[in-house]
Amino acid sequence: MSTDLWDKALKILEIDTRVNSVIYSTILCNVKQVDFSDNVLILSCRNDYELGLVKGKEIDTYINNAVNIVSDGNVSVKYIIEGDEKAKTVTSLSEKRAIRKENLTVNDGISSDFTFDNFIVGDCNRFAHASAISVANNPGKSSSRNPLYLWGNSGLGKTHLMKAIGYSIRQNFKDKIVLYTTCEEFTNAYIACMKSKQYEEFRAKYRGVDVLLIDDIQFLIGKEGIQMEFFNTFESLITSGKQIVITCDKAPKNLTELDSRLTSRFQNGLMMDIQPPDFETRKAIFLNKVQKDGLDLSDDIINYVCENVTKDVRDLNGAYNIVSAYYVLSNGELTLDIVESKLSTVISPGKNKKLTVEIVIDAVSKYYDISAEKMIGKLRNAEIVNARSVAMYICRDLLEMQYEKIGSKFGGRKHTTVMNACNNVEQDENLMADIESIKKRIME
């Protein structure tokens, strides 16, 4: 086939009344033919912006029609960014994907250590877990789940779920390239590429994948140049129908120091929060480790650990390591007294086992002089809504209750209603000050 296939197609596009003349003269005329082999025509655009205007858009259909008119038919058109031509001509697309895939899967942390099978599911993470499985089964297929944005405090299992998605996709979609990276690694790679001027290599690594898993996106805050590069990477992947999964310690709307274009993109996908594990989930996690290692621990010890180590899964794992170590040292004769003394450094501070929802509601009611019945009821004037939200927040903070359980105590409200109420409280300095005052009264 002639190397001027694109030139011939341009002549067809020039007389196609469906093609905007401005697009033709400013965009299409600057597109170049890079390669044509095996019925695949590779065209290069000058930058990401122009690629986004062509690839996957209506004009793409007109281009394909023109190309097949001037060829023997059955030609596929692929697009790249200008500057990738050398790499495209050195190896075939399939060879390049195979090389990239091999390079990316070396020691990237995605393994059978982090799967859906060994992730303990509870009320604190049930929705996030279900969403992760849905994405893993259909990566990039639904715009409503792209990106999948997992958020919550450190040590709650966000990275485990993210890596489980990557592991599942690699097992079930052998042809897909999956890249797991941290925001810090992305930042360091971009700084290195700026020094070496190897932008094409950097962009090929992060934009040439089918699934991008990026951990701790909050580390982009304060790095404006890198935010722009990630935004362009994000747009390139989403436009190409690739799947993105992101973890963060905050909801997108609370990332006020991040570029608003990024946070708006995050909110267009599926946002799922992960809360600290409740007692049942903590016990399931702990028992899973006990049974795996064959420890014979008393119920008193197991319940003591799971009742008192409440902050996150990492603290629970740390507590288990201490218990298991002393179990071995005591030749299996471990007592509750020993466990209590050895876990004093990891017991969750400020824990009050006698505290109840009723005590919280009563304290908030007295502070604002609003009856408990009104807080639990359906009235929605500002004073009652604020008091209700404060009470919900304290239940989440001090009692470590899940959103669903809090909602059931406040008139059967939905998970999302409680979550939004708590988020709104966090953004109100006056309400947060009220909460500190109420907490002091409760803990007296």
Side-chain angles (χ1 to χ4, degrees):
M1 180 65 64
S2 172
T3 57
D4 62 351
L5 177 61
W6 175 239
D7 291 335
K8 294 178 180 179
L10 272 176
K11 294 177 181 179
I12 299 295
L13 291 166
E14 185 177 16
I15 62 175
D16 190 334
T17 57
R18 298 172 300 176
V19 177
N20 182 284
S21 59
V22 176
I23 294 293
Y24 175 83
S25 60
T26 61
I27 305 294
L28 298 185
C29 285
N30 289 304
V31 171
K32 298 177 182 177
Q33 177 173 327
V34 175
D35 186 41
F36 179 73
S37 58
D38 299 325
N39 282 334
V40 177
L41 174 65
I42 299 177
L43 302 176
S44 69
C45 297
R46 289 183 296 182
N47 50 50
D48 285 329
Y49 174 73
E50 293 187 1
L51 179 67
L53 292 177
V54 175
K55 186 174 182 180
K57 300 298 189 295
E58 191 173 23
I59 190 68
D60 195 356
T61 302
Y62 306 152
I63 290 173
N64 274 273
N65 289 340
V67 167
N68 281 281
I69 287 173
V70 299
S71 68
D72 295 330
N74 297 320
V75 173
S76 297
V77 181
K78 304 295 182 184
Y79 305 92
I80 62 171
I81 301 296
E82 192 171 304
D84 287 345
E85 292 91 342
K86 183 177 179 180
K88 288 291 182 180
T89 55
V90 169
T91 59
S92 68
L93 287 174
S94 59
E95 289 171 336
K96 187 173 181 180
R97 282 181 63 84
I99 293 170
R100 186 184 299 130
K101 185 175 182 181
E102 182 178 355
N103 290 338
L104 292 180
T105 56
V106 177
N107 299 323
D108 66 353
I110 298 179
S111 69
S112 58
D113 292 335
F114 300 97
T115 68
F116 292 125
D117 289 338
N118 60 26
F119 183 85
I120 303 299
V121 181
D123 289 340
C124 56
N125 55 34
R126 192 177 308 280
F127 293 110
H129 176 261
S131 299
I133 290 178
S134 178
V135 166
N137 289 339
N138 300 281
K141 297 297 183 182
S142 173
S143 59
S144 64
R145 294 193 297 270
N146 204 6
L148 172 62
Y149 185 98
L150 303 171
W151 66 278
N153 291 332
S154 177
L156 299 182
K158 302 186 300 294
T159 299
H160 186 140
L161 269 185
M162 172 180 275
K163 289 185 176 182
I165 291 171
Y167 181 78
S168 177
I169 292 174
R170 281 186 181 167
Q171 294 297 109
N172 299 316
F173 300 90
K174 302 293 186 181
D175 61 322
K176 291 192 179 298
I177 299 175
V178 180
L179 171 61
Y180 166 80
T181 188
T182 65
C183 189
E184 183 179 9
E185 290 170 349
F186 181 89
T187 298
N188 292 338
Y190 182 66
I191 292 172
C193 98
M194 289 179 66
K195 292 179 179 179
S196 64
K197 306 298 182 183
Q198 295 180 335
Y199 297 103
E200 293 82 6
E201 183 177 336
F202 173 85
R203 287 166 182 162
K205 175 179 179 179
Y206 290 100
R207 302 183 193 184
V209 300
D210 299 297
V211 182
L212 176 64
L213 313 170
I214 185 159
D215 224 346
D216 294 324
I217 202 67
Q218 69 271 12
F219 287 109
L220 282 181
I221 292 175
K223 304 177 178 70
E224 294 182 3
I226 297 168
Q227 285 183 40
M228 176 62 71
E229 183 60 33
F230 180 74
F231 175 80
N232 291 333
T233 297
F234 184 99
E235 290 290 280
S236 176
L237 291 173
I238 292 292
T239 301
S240 303
K242 309 304 183 183
Q243 180 68 52
I244 300 176
V245 181
I246 295 168
T247 70
C248 188
D249 62 356
K250 297 178 181 177
K253 68 177 182 180
N254 293 332
L255 294 172
T256 55
E257 298 176 350
L258 204 62
D259 190 322
S260 60
R261 293 180 301 170
L262 278 173
T263 54
S264 67
R265 297 300 193 280
F266 298 161
Q267 293 178 84
N268 282 338
L270 179 59
M271 299 176 290
M272 282 290 154
D273 71 304
I274 301 178
Q275 290 296 307
D278 53 19
F279 173 76
E280 291 80 7
T281 306
R282 294 196 297 272
K283 188 169 183 179
I285 294 171
F286 196 82
L287 283 174
N288 184 60
K289 291 180 173 294
V290 169
Q291 293 165 2
K292 183 179 179 181
D293 292 340
L295 274 58
D296 184 18
L297 298 178
S298 69
D299 289 341
D300 287 343
I301 290 176
I302 293 172
N303 288 332
Y304 175 80
V305 174
C306 298
E307 285 174 354
N308 290 279
V309 183
T310 61
K311 181 181 177 183
D312 55 42
V313 178
R314 286 178 185 165
D315 274 7
L316 189 63
N317 288 338
Y320 175 78
N321 292 337
I322 294 172
V323 170
S324 61
Y326 280 95
Y327 178 88
V328 173
L329 292 174
S330 64
N331 294 317
E333 301 296 327
L334 190 61
T335 66
L336 179 59
D337 289 339
I338 293 176
V339 171
E340 288 179 349
S341 66
K342 300 305 177 183
L343 292 186
S344 60
T345 59
V346 295
I347 294 299
S348 300
K351 184 173 177 60
N352 187 337
K353 295 181 183 179
K354 297 180 180 179
L355 190 61
T356 65
V357 176
E358 289 70 27
I359 291 175
V360 171
I361 292 175
D362 181 64
V364 175
S365 171
K366 291 177 180 177
Y367 186 87
Y368 288 111
D369 193 23
I370 293 174
S371 70
E373 290 76 15
K374 288 182 178 179
M375 281 196 291
I376 296 174
K378 298 185 180 299
L379 294 177
R380 293 190 54 79
N381 64 60
E383 292 80 7
I384 294 175
V385 168
N386 283 340
R388 183 184 297 135
S389 298
V390 164
M392 289 176 173
Y393 184 93
I394 295 175
C395 286
R396 188 192 75 174
D397 193 38
L398 288 185
L399 296 177
E400 297 160 349
M401 293 173 65
Q402 305 308 312
Y403 290 134
E404 293 87 353
K405 291 184 179 180
I406 296 173
S408 68
K409 295 290 186 178
F410 285 80
R413 286 174 164 81
K414 295 180 180 179
H415 160 274
T416 52
T417 301
V418 180
M419 180 176 67
N420 289 332
C422 292
N423 288 340
N424 290 335
V425 167
E426 287 180 337
Q427 298 179 61
D428 191 315
E429 294 181 0
N430 293 328
L431 293 182
M432 290 301 293
D434 288 349
I435 285 172
E436 290 305 312
S437 299
I438 295 169
K439 281 184 179 179
K440 290 178 181 178
R441 294 188 182 187
I442 292 175
M443 302 303 289
E444 288 177 350

Short mmCIF file of all heavy atoms in Angstrom, two decimals, residues 298-344:
data_model
loop_
_atom_site.label_atom_id
_atom_site.label_comp_id
_atom_site.label_asym_id
_atom_site.label_seq_id
_atom_site.Cartn_x
_atom_site.Cartn_y
_atom_site.Cartn_z
N SER A 298 -7.51 -17.85 73.53
CA SER A 298 -8.80 -17.87 74.22
C SER A 298 -9.71 -16.79 73.65
O SER A 298 -9.26 -15.79 73.08
CB SER A 298 -8.61 -17.63 75.72
OG SER A 298 -8.20 -16.28 75.94
N ASP A 299 -11.01 -16.98 73.82
CA ASP A 299 -11.98 -15.98 73.36
C ASP A 299 -11.77 -14.65 74.07
O ASP A 299 -11.99 -13.58 73.47
CB ASP A 299 -13.41 -16.48 73.60
CG ASP A 299 -13.80 -17.62 72.67
OD1 ASP A 299 -13.12 -17.79 71.63
OD2 ASP A 299 -14.75 -18.34 72.98
N ASP A 300 -11.36 -14.70 75.33
CA ASP A 300 -11.13 -13.47 76.08
C ASP A 300 -10.04 -12.63 75.44
O ASP A 300 -10.16 -11.40 75.33
CB ASP A 300 -10.74 -13.79 77.53
CG ASP A 300 -11.92 -14.28 78.36
OD1 ASP A 300 -13.08 -14.07 77.92
OD2 ASP A 300 -11.69 -14.87 79.42
N ILE A 301 -8.98 -13.27 75.01
CA ILE A 301 -7.87 -12.55 74.38
C ILE A 301 -8.30 -11.98 73.03
O ILE A 301 -8.06 -10.81 72.73
CB ILE A 301 -6.64 -13.48 74.20
CG1 ILE A 301 -6.03 -13.80 75.55
CG2 ILE A 301 -5.62 -12.84 73.26
CD1 ILE A 301 -4.87 -14.79 75.49
N ILE A 302 -8.97 -12.81 72.24
CA ILE A 302 -9.42 -12.37 70.91
C ILE A 302 -10.37 -11.18 71.03
O ILE A 302 -10.23 -10.17 70.34
CB ILE A 302 -10.09 -13.53 70.16
CG1 ILE A 302 -9.06 -14.61 69.84
CG2 ILE A 302 -10.76 -13.04 68.88
CD1 ILE A 302 -9.65 -15.89 69.27
N ASN A 303 -11.34 -11.30 71.93
CA ASN A 303 -12.31 -10.21 72.10
C ASN A 303 -11.66 -8.95 72.65
O ASN A 303 -12.02 -7.83 72.25
CB ASN A 303 -13.45 -10.66 73.01
CG ASN A 303 -14.36 -11.67 72.33
OD1 ASN A 303 -14.50 -11.67 71.11
ND2 ASN A 303 -14.98 -12.54 73.11
N TYR A 304 -10.71 -9.12 73.56
CA TYR A 304 -10.03 -7.95 74.13
C TYR A 304 -9.30 -7.17 73.04
O TYR A 304 -9.42 -5.94 72.97
CB TYR A 304 -9.03 -8.39 75.21
CG TYR A 304 -8.22 -7.23 75.74
CD1 TYR A 304 -8.74 -6.36 76.69
CD2 TYR A 304 -6.93 -6.98 75.25
CE1 TYR A 304 -8.01 -5.28 77.16
CE2 TYR A 304 -6.19 -5.89 75.71
CZ TYR A 304 -6.74 -5.04 76.67
OH TYR A 304 -6.02 -3.97 77.12
N VAL A 305 -8.57 -7.87 72.21
CA VAL A 305 -7.83 -7.21 71.14
C VAL A 305 -8.78 -6.50 70.20
O VAL A 305 -8.61 -5.32 69.86
CB VAL A 305 -6.95 -8.22 70.36
CG1 VAL A 305 -6.31 -7.53 69.16
CG2 VAL A 305 -5.89 -8.82 71.26
N CYS A 306 -9.82 -7.20 69.76
CA CYS A 306 -10.72 -6.65 68.75
C CYS A 306 -11.62 -5.54 69.28
O CYS A 306 -12.09 -4.69 68.53
CB CYS A 306 -11.56 -7.76 68.14
SG CYS A 306 -10.57 -9.00 67.29
N GLU A 307 -11.85 -5.52 70.58
CA GLU A 307 -12.65 -4.46 71.19
C GLU A 307 -11.84 -3.19 71.41
O GLU A 307 -12.38 -2.09 71.42
CB GLU A 307 -13.23 -4.93 72.53
CG GLU A 307 -14.39 -5.89 72.40
CD GLU A 307 -14.83 -6.43 73.75
OE1 GLU A 307 -14.15 -6.12 74.77
OE2 GLU A 307 -15.84 -7.14 73.81
N ASN A 308 -10.53 -3.34 71.58
CA ASN A 308 -9.71 -2.22 72.01
C ASN A 308 -8.76 -1.66 70.95
O ASN A 308 -8.30 -0.53 71.09
CB ASN A 308 -8.91 -2.61 73.25
CG ASN A 308 -9.79 -2.76 74.47
OD1 ASN A 308 -10.15 -1.78 75.11
ND2 ASN A 308 -10.18 -3.99 74.79
N VAL A 309 -8.45 -2.42 69.92
CA VAL A 309 -7.61 -1.90 68.84
C VAL A 309 -8.55 -1.55 67.69
O VAL A 309 -8.96 -2.39 66.91
CB VAL A 309 -6.57 -2.94 68.39
CG1 VAL A 309 -5.67 -2.34 67.31
CG2 VAL A 309 -5.73 -3.40 69.58
N THR A 310 -8.92 -0.28 67.61
CA THR A 310 -10.04 0.11 66.74
C THR A 310 -9.69 1.10 65.64
O THR A 310 -10.53 1.39 64.79
CB THR A 310 -11.16 0.75 67.60
OG1 THR A 310 -10.65 1.92 68.23
CG2 THR A 310 -11.65 -0.22 68.66
N LYS A 311 -8.47 1.63 65.64
CA LYS A 311 -8.16 2.72 64.71
C LYS A 311 -8.20 2.28 63.26
O LYS A 311 -8.89 2.87 62.43
CB LYS A 311 -6.78 3.30 65.04
CG LYS A 311 -6.39 4.46 64.15
CD LYS A 311 -5.01 4.98 64.52
CE LYS A 311 -4.59 6.10 63.59
NZ LYS A 311 -3.21 6.58 63.88
N ASP A 312 -7.43 1.25 62.91
CA ASP A 312 -7.39 0.78 61.53
C ASP A 312 -6.83 -0.63 61.46
O ASP A 312 -6.44 -1.22 62.48
CB ASP A 312 -6.58 1.74 60.63
CG ASP A 312 -5.16 1.97 61.15
OD1 ASP A 312 -4.51 1.00 61.58
OD2 ASP A 312 -4.70 3.13 61.11
N VAL A 313 -6.77 -1.18 60.26
CA VAL A 313 -6.33 -2.56 60.07
C VAL A 313 -4.84 -2.70 60.36
O VAL A 313 -4.38 -3.73 60.86
CB VAL A 313 -6.65 -3.03 58.63
CG1 VAL A 313 -6.13 -4.45 58.40
CG2 VAL A 313 -8.16 -2.98 58.37
N ARG A 314 -4.07 -1.66 60.07
CA ARG A 314 -2.62 -1.73 60.32
C ARG A 314 -2.34 -1.90 61.81
O ARG A 314 -1.47 -2.68 62.22
CB ARG A 314 -1.94 -0.49 59.79
CG ARG A 314 -1.84 -0.47 58.26
CD ARG A 314 -1.20 0.80 57.77
NE ARG A 314 -1.23 0.86 56.32
CZ ARG A 314 -1.00 1.94 55.60
NH1 ARG A 314 -0.72 3.08 56.21
NH2 ARG A 314 -1.05 1.91 54.28
N ASP A 315 -3.06 -1.13 62.65
CA ASP A 315 -2.88 -1.28 64.09
C ASP A 315 -3.30 -2.67 64.54
O ASP A 315 -2.67 -3.27 65.42
CB ASP A 315 -3.72 -0.23 64.83
CG ASP A 315 -2.98 1.09 64.96
OD1 ASP A 315 -1.90 1.23 64.37
OD2 ASP A 315 -3.50 2.01 65.63
N LEU A 316 -4.36 -3.19 63.94
CA LEU A 316 -4.82 -4.53 64.29
C LEU A 316 -3.78 -5.57 63.90
O LEU A 316 -3.50 -6.51 64.66
CB LEU A 316 -6.15 -4.82 63.58
CG LEU A 316 -6.87 -6.11 64.00
CD1 LEU A 316 -7.26 -6.06 65.47
CD2 LEU A 316 -8.11 -6.32 63.14
N ASN A 317 -3.17 -5.39 62.73
CA ASN A 317 -2.10 -6.31 62.30
C ASN A 317 -0.91 -6.21 63.24
O ASN A 317 -0.27 -7.22 63.58
CB ASN A 317 -1.67 -5.99 60.87
CG ASN A 317 -2.70 -6.39 59.84
OD1 ASN A 317 -3.54 -7.26 60.11
ND2 ASN A 317 -2.66 -5.77 58.68
N GLY A 318 -0.60 -4.97 63.67
CA GLY A 318 0.50 -4.80 64.62
C GLY A 318 0.23 -5.49 65.94
O GLY A 318 1.12 -6.12 66.53
N ALA A 319 -1.03 -5.37 66.39
CA ALA A 319 -1.42 -6.03 67.64
C ALA A 319 -1.30 -7.54 67.50
O ALA A 319 -0.83 -8.23 68.42
CB ALA A 319 -2.85 -5.64 68.01
N TYR A 320 -1.72 -8.05 66.35
CA TYR A 320 -1.62 -9.51 66.12
C TYR A 320 -0.16 -9.96 66.16
O TYR A 320 0.15 -11.01 66.74
CB TYR A 320 -2.24 -9.89 64.79
CG TYR A 320 -2.03 -11.35 64.48
CD1 TYR A 320 -2.81 -12.33 65.09
CD2 TYR A 320 -1.01 -11.76 63.62
CE1 TYR A 320 -2.60 -13.68 64.85
CE2 TYR A 320 -0.79 -13.11 63.38
CZ TYR A 320 -1.58 -14.06 63.99
OH TYR A 320 -1.35 -15.40 63.76
N ASN A 321 0.72 -9.17 65.55
CA ASN A 321 2.14 -9.55 65.54
C ASN A 321 2.69 -9.63 66.96
O ASN A 321 3.49 -10.52 67.28
CB ASN A 321 2.95 -8.53 64.72
CG ASN A 321 2.62 -8.60 63.24
OD1 ASN A 321 2.15 -9.62 62.75
ND2 ASN A 321 2.85 -7.51 62.53
N ILE A 322 2.27 -8.70 67.83
CA ILE A 322 2.71 -8.72 69.22
C ILE A 322 2.17 -9.96 69.93
O ILE A 322 2.89 -10.68 70.62
CB ILE A 322 2.27 -7.44 69.95
CG1 ILE A 322 2.99 -6.22 69.36
CG2 ILE A 322 2.52 -7.55 71.45
CD1 ILE A 322 2.48 -4.90 69.88
N VAL A 323 0.86 -10.19 69.76
CA VAL A 323 0.23 -11.35 70.41
C VAL A 323 0.86 -12.65 69.94
O VAL A 323 1.17 -13.54 70.76
CB VAL A 323 -1.29 -11.35 70.14
CG1 VAL A 323 -1.92 -12.66 70.60
CG2 VAL A 323 -1.97 -10.17 70.82
N SER A 324 1.05 -12.79 68.64
CA SER A 324 1.61 -14.04 68.11
C SER A 324 3.04 -14.26 68.58
O SER A 324 3.45 -15.40 68.85
CB SER A 324 1.54 -14.05 66.59
OG SER A 324 2.30 -12.99 66.03
N ALA A 325 3.81 -13.16 68.70
CA ALA A 325 5.19 -13.29 69.17
C ALA A 325 5.22 -13.79 70.61
O ALA A 325 6.00 -14.70 70.96
CB ALA A 325 5.90 -11.94 69.05
N TYR A 326 4.39 -13.21 71.48
CA TYR A 326 4.37 -13.64 72.88
C TYR A 326 3.71 -15.00 73.06
O TYR A 326 3.99 -15.71 74.03
CB TYR A 326 3.70 -12.58 73.76
CG TYR A 326 4.63 -11.43 74.08
CD1 TYR A 326 4.63 -10.28 73.30
CD2 TYR A 326 5.55 -11.53 75.12
CE1 TYR A 326 5.51 -9.23 73.56
CE2 TYR A 326 6.43 -10.49 75.40
CZ TYR A 326 6.41 -9.35 74.61
OH TYR A 326 7.30 -8.33 74.88
N TYR A 327 2.87 -15.37 72.11
CA TYR A 327 2.28 -16.72 72.13
C TYR A 327 3.39 -17.75 71.97
O TYR A 327 3.44 -18.77 72.68
CB TYR A 327 1.26 -16.85 71.01
CG TYR A 327 0.63 -18.22 70.89
CD1 TYR A 327 -0.51 -18.55 71.62
CD2 TYR A 327 1.16 -19.18 70.03
CE1 TYR A 327 -1.10 -19.81 71.52
CE2 TYR A 327 0.59 -20.44 69.91
CZ TYR A 327 -0.53 -20.75 70.65
OH TYR A 327 -1.10 -22.00 70.54
N VAL A 328 4.31 -17.47 71.04
CA VAL A 328 5.43 -18.38 70.81
C VAL A 328 6.37 -18.38 72.02
O VAL A 328 6.81 -19.44 72.48
CB VAL A 328 6.20 -17.97 69.53
CG1 VAL A 328 7.47 -18.81 69.38
CG2 VAL A 328 5.32 -18.13 68.31
N LEU A 329 6.67 -17.18 72.55
CA LEU A 329 7.59 -17.08 73.68
C LEU A 329 7.06 -17.78 74.93
O LEU A 329 7.82 -18.28 75.76
CB LEU A 329 7.87 -15.61 74.00
CG LEU A 329 8.68 -14.84 72.94
CD1 LEU A 329 8.75 -13.36 73.29
CD2 LEU A 329 10.09 -15.42 72.83
N SER A 330 5.73 -17.82 75.05
CA SER A 330 5.13 -18.46 76.23
C SER A 330 4.76 -19.91 75.98
O SER A 330 4.05 -20.51 76.79
CB SER A 330 3.88 -17.68 76.66
OG SER A 330 2.88 -17.75 75.65
N ASN A 331 5.22 -20.43 74.83
CA ASN A 331 4.92 -21.82 74.46
C ASN A 331 3.42 -22.10 74.44
O ASN A 331 2.95 -23.19 74.84
CB ASN A 331 5.61 -22.80 75.44
CG ASN A 331 7.12 -22.75 75.33
OD1 ASN A 331 7.66 -22.70 74.22
ND2 ASN A 331 7.80 -22.75 76.46
N GLY A 332 2.65 -21.12 73.98
CA GLY A 332 1.21 -21.30 73.84
C GLY A 332 0.43 -21.02 75.10
O GLY A 332 -0.81 -21.10 75.09
N GLU A 333 1.11 -20.69 76.20
CA GLU A 333 0.42 -20.43 77.47
C GLU A 333 0.22 -18.93 77.67
O GLU A 333 0.60 -18.36 78.70
CB GLU A 333 1.23 -21.02 78.63
CG GLU A 333 1.46 -22.52 78.53
CD GLU A 333 0.16 -23.30 78.60
OE1 GLU A 333 -0.77 -22.84 79.32
OE2 GLU A 333 0.06 -24.35 77.95
N LEU A 334 -0.38 -18.28 76.71
CA LEU A 334 -0.55 -16.82 76.76
C LEU A 334 -1.79 -16.47 77.58
O LEU A 334 -2.86 -17.03 77.37
CB LEU A 334 -0.67 -16.26 75.34
CG LEU A 334 -0.62 -14.74 75.18
CD1 LEU A 334 0.71 -14.19 75.66
CD2 LEU A 334 -0.85 -14.37 73.72
N THR A 335 -1.64 -15.51 78.48
CA THR A 335 -2.77 -15.10 79.32
C THR A 335 -3.25 -13.70 78.93
O THR A 335 -2.53 -12.92 78.30
CB THR A 335 -2.36 -15.08 80.80
OG1 THR A 335 -1.39 -14.04 81.01
CG2 THR A 335 -1.80 -16.42 81.23
N LEU A 336 -4.47 -13.38 79.34
CA LEU A 336 -5.04 -12.07 79.06
C LEU A 336 -4.24 -10.96 79.74
O LEU A 336 -4.06 -9.88 79.17
CB LEU A 336 -6.50 -12.02 79.51
CG LEU A 336 -7.24 -10.70 79.28
CD1 LEU A 336 -7.24 -10.32 77.79
CD2 LEU A 336 -8.67 -10.80 79.78
N ASP A 337 -3.72 -11.21 80.94
CA ASP A 337 -2.93 -10.20 81.65
C ASP A 337 -1.69 -9.81 80.85
O ASP A 337 -1.34 -8.63 80.78
CB ASP A 337 -2.52 -10.73 83.03
CG ASP A 337 -3.69 -10.82 84.00
OD1 ASP A 337 -4.70 -10.13 83.74
OD2 ASP A 337 -3.59 -11.56 84.99
N ILE A 338 -1.04 -10.81 80.25
CA ILE A 338 0.15 -10.52 79.45
C ILE A 338 -0.22 -9.70 78.22
O ILE A 338 0.43 -8.71 77.89
CB ILE A 338 0.84 -11.84 79.01
CG1 ILE A 338 1.40 -12.57 80.23
CG2 ILE A 338 1.93 -11.57 77.99
CD1 ILE A 338 2.00 -13.93 79.91
N VAL A 339 -1.33 -10.08 77.57
CA VAL A 339 -1.78 -9.36 76.37
C VAL A 339 -2.11 -7.91 76.71
O VAL A 339 -1.72 -6.98 75.99
CB VAL A 339 -3.00 -10.06 75.75
CG1 VAL A 339 -3.61 -9.19 74.64
CG2 VAL A 339 -2.61 -11.42 75.19
N GLU A 340 -2.80 -7.70 77.83
CA GLU A 340 -3.17 -6.34 78.23
C GLU A 340 -1.93 -5.48 78.45
O GLU A 340 -1.88 -4.31 78.05
CB GLU A 340 -4.02 -6.38 79.49
CG GLU A 340 -5.43 -6.91 79.27
CD GLU A 340 -6.24 -6.95 80.56
OE1 GLU A 340 -5.63 -6.77 81.64
OE2 GLU A 340 -7.45 -7.18 80.49
N SER A 341 -0.92 -6.03 79.08
CA SER A 341 0.29 -5.25 79.36
C SER A 341 1.10 -4.99 78.10
O SER A 341 1.66 -3.90 77.94
CB SER A 341 1.15 -5.99 80.39
OG SER A 341 1.65 -7.21 79.85
N LYS A 342 1.15 -5.94 77.19
CA LYS A 342 1.97 -5.79 75.99
C LYS A 342 1.30 -4.93 74.92
O LYS A 342 1.98 -4.39 74.04
CB LYS A 342 2.31 -7.16 75.40
CG LYS A 342 3.08 -8.07 76.34
CD LYS A 342 4.35 -7.42 76.87
CE LYS A 342 5.08 -8.31 77.86
NZ LYS A 342 6.28 -7.64 78.43
N LEU A 343 -0.02 -4.79 74.97
CA LEU A 343 -0.73 -4.01 73.95
C LEU A 343 -1.05 -2.59 74.41
O LEU A 343 -1.78 -1.87 73.71
CB LEU A 343 -2.04 -4.71 73.55
CG LEU A 343 -1.91 -6.02 72.79
CD1 LEU A 343 -3.29 -6.50 72.34
CD2 LEU A 343 -1.00 -5.88 71.59
N SER A 344 -0.50 -2.17 75.53
CA SER A 344 -0.83 -0.85 76.05
C SER A 344 -0.48 0.27 75.07
O SER A 344 -1.13 1.32 75.06
CB SER A 344 -0.11 -0.61 77.38
OG SER A 344 1.31 -0.71 77.18
#
